[in-house]
Amino acid sequence: RPWSTINAKHIIVAATKHLFVAMHYCFYGMVTVLSSIFISRAAAYIPSTSRHLAHSSKPKHKLLSQALMMSQQQQQHTVSDGATNTTNTSSDEPKVPLYLAEGIFSVEKPSNWTSSDVVSYIRGILERDAKGRGAKVARPNKRRRGGNKNVIKVGHGGTLDPMATGVLVVGVGSGTKNLQNYLSGSKAYIAGGKFGEETDTLDTEGKVVRTADHDHVTEQKLLEVLPHFTGDIMQIPPIFSALKKNGKKMYEEARAGKTAEDLGIEARPVVVHQLELLPVNDKDSTTGGLPSFTLSVECGGGTYIRSLIRDIAHKVDSCAVMTSLVRTKQGQFELDDALPKCDWNAENIFKAIEKENANRENGSNVS
């Protein structure tokens, strides 16, 4: 158009048109750059996705594919550029272990403690020790998905009644997997009994449900009936026990008012290896003579000493309750080597585990 014919209106229209074109290209360029930056940063956090999209045979967007390929190349260059590159976030610091030793050991369970009380107490000791060393410790949570990571694992093998004392085998860490071996192993007990009464719990802590005369019971009479309870025998477990009947623990049913007859508890096979009546002057005897008496028992897993005393009393036409119980041996663990309550601390626990691990290793080498 000749300059003579151009007026202000024409100039404004042309300038506006070029301005819109420039803005269009600027906006497209900004979107392209920001998209590349965003995709590149996102690909840094999802390398598996970036590899998949970058190598896809049919990329949905050329720009996306190029950006992801560029991000992957940058990551590979960062890792291969040398150990001194600060973008490599892997830490060389050693992880603090939860345990200084893992395995099994034995403790001397105090009276009036449940076996679960012992486990909880020892777990608390080891948790405080691990935290003190800087380890990451989590509390057990059955609802946690993916397992209980960083949880101090402690368990016991072979439950002892609250009133009982003596050897309780405890597993720590990987040692909890070996506890099943001690549930069926040989055990030894010193048990006290007394004629004249029978309780619902078969010990002195229960409610009296039966009384009977015991004047006719003599030491000789007891010695005559003991052989009937050695070897393979059938035994009805006490209703106040952790055994399950119809999917529920029997002691829970007993507390709800049900009796052994209501539940229909069946006899089950157990084995008694040795059964001896200890004389009054014996160092292990806990009584001063009849109607009280003391038994030395060695038996297999699943044997209830309370039931054994009940059945012996019935055999001599009387009734009796268990007055005391000390487990003196469980498997290879004996009472003299069990860790007493006053020595329960992290250092002694780990030492006991290391000692048992060494004994087992030496035993394996010898065999």
Side-chain angles (χ1 to χ4, degrees):
R1 178 183 294 275
W3 284 101
S4 60
T5 62
I6 297 176
N7 55 30
K9 180 180 179 180
H10 295 142
I11 294 174
I12 293 173
V13 170
T16 303
K17 183 186 295 184
H18 287 292
L19 179 62
F20 275 110
V21 171
M23 291 175 62
H24 170 76
Y25 281 110
C26 287
F27 179 77
Y28 180 78
M30 289 176 60
V31 171
T32 302
V33 172
L34 291 175
S35 297
S36 299
I37 295 174
F38 175 78
I39 294 171
S40 178
R41 292 294 178 88
Y45 291 97
I46 48 171
S48 60
T49 304
S50 67
R51 287 194 297 269
H52 173 72
L53 293 175
H55 294 287
S56 175
S57 59
K58 295 181 180 180
K60 294 183 179 180
H61 196 287
K62 183 177 180 181
L63 177 62
L64 176 64
S65 178
Q66 291 176 350
L68 294 176
M69 285 290 290
M70 179 179 64
S71 173
Q72 182 182 3
Q73 292 173 358
Q74 290 176 351
Q75 291 176 4
Q76 293 175 349
H77 176 71
T78 299
V79 174
S80 61
D81 200 28
T84 58
N85 196 323
T86 58
T87 59
N88 191 346
T89 58
S90 60
S91 176
D92 295 331
E93 296 181 2
K95 184 179 179 181
V96 179
L98 285 177
Y99 319 94
L100 296 182
E102 298 182 59
I104 55 178
F105 70 108
S106 65
V107 299
E108 183 178 350
K109 189 189 86 65
S111 179
N112 298 321
W113 283 50
T114 67
S115 300
S116 296
D117 289 340
V118 175
V119 167
S120 299
Y121 191 88
I122 291 177
R123 182 188 292 114
I125 292 174
L126 299 183
E127 284 178 348
R128 291 189 291 273
D129 171 75
K131 291 178 181 179
R133 291 184 286 103
K136 184 179 179 180
V137 180
R139 293 291 297 172
N141 186 350
K142 294 181 179 180
R143 298 182 179 180
R144 183 183 290 121
R145 295 180 178 179
N148 286 317
K149 296 182 180 179
N150 301 320
V151 171
I152 298 292
K153 296 180 180 179
V154 182
H156 69 83
T159 303
L160 275 175
D161 295 331
M163 70 172 291
T165 63
V167 178
L168 181 68
V169 177
V170 178
V172 172
S174 60
T176 56
K177 299 178 181 179
N178 300 324
L179 290 173
Q180 190 66 28
N181 299 332
Y182 297 91
L183 297 178
S184 57
S186 175
K187 303 174 180 67
Y189 299 90
I190 299 296
K194 186 175 182 179
F195 289 107
E197 293 182 343
E198 184 175 315
T199 65
D200 53 357
T201 59
L202 303 183
D203 58 27
T204 56
E205 297 182 349
K207 181 177 66 176
V208 176
V209 294
R210 180 186 175 190
T211 60
D213 182 46
H214 56 81
D215 293 338
H216 62 284
V217 180
T218 63
E219 184 176 323
Q220 183 61 35
K221 187 84 170 180
L222 276 177
L223 292 174
E224 291 175 358
V225 302
L226 291 186
H228 293 278
F229 299 95
T230 57
D232 296 323
I233 63 173
M234 299 298 292
Q235 183 184 80
I236 298 177
I239 187 172
F240 279 89
S241 65
L243 297 176
K244 289 187 176 182
K245 184 71 173 178
N246 301 324
K248 295 183 178 180
K249 292 182 178 180
M250 291 200 298
Y251 70 80
E252 295 176 347
E253 297 280 61
R255 290 172 181 171
K258 294 185 178 180
T259 64
E261 291 74 19
D262 295 334
L263 296 180
I265 303 175
E266 300 176 351
R268 58 181 193 158
V270 296
V271 58
V272 178
H273 302 294
Q274 177 266 334
L275 180 59
E276 180 183 357
L277 177 65
L278 296 180
V280 175
N281 58 355
D282 191 281
K283 65 182 181 65
D284 292 322
S285 178
T286 59
T287 70
L290 294 174
S292 298
F293 59 96
T294 304
L295 298 174
S296 173
V297 185
E298 184 174 354
C299 57
T303 306
Y304 280 89
I305 308 301
R306 287 177 287 159
S307 296
L308 183 63
I309 290 176
R310 173 202 61 197
D311 296 342
I312 291 173
H314 289 178
K315 192 69 175 178
V316 295
D317 298 322
S318 186
C319 60
V321 295
M322 186 180 73
T323 57
S324 64
L325 183 67
V326 180
R327 182 189 282 163
T328 58
K329 184 174 79 74
Q330 183 173 359
Q332 74 268 30
F333 296 97
E334 297 188 357
L335 184 58
D336 292 340
D337 299 322
L339 205 62
K341 169 68 172 57
C342 59
D343 291 335
W344 291 2
N345 57 59
E347 181 181 0
N348 289 335
I349 290 172
F350 289 132
K351 283 183 179 179
I353 294 174
E354 291 173 347
K355 179 181 178 181
E356 178 58 26
N357 290 343
N359 291 338
R360 295 180 66 183
E361 183 177 353
N362 293 337
S364 300
N365 293 337
V366 171
S367 58

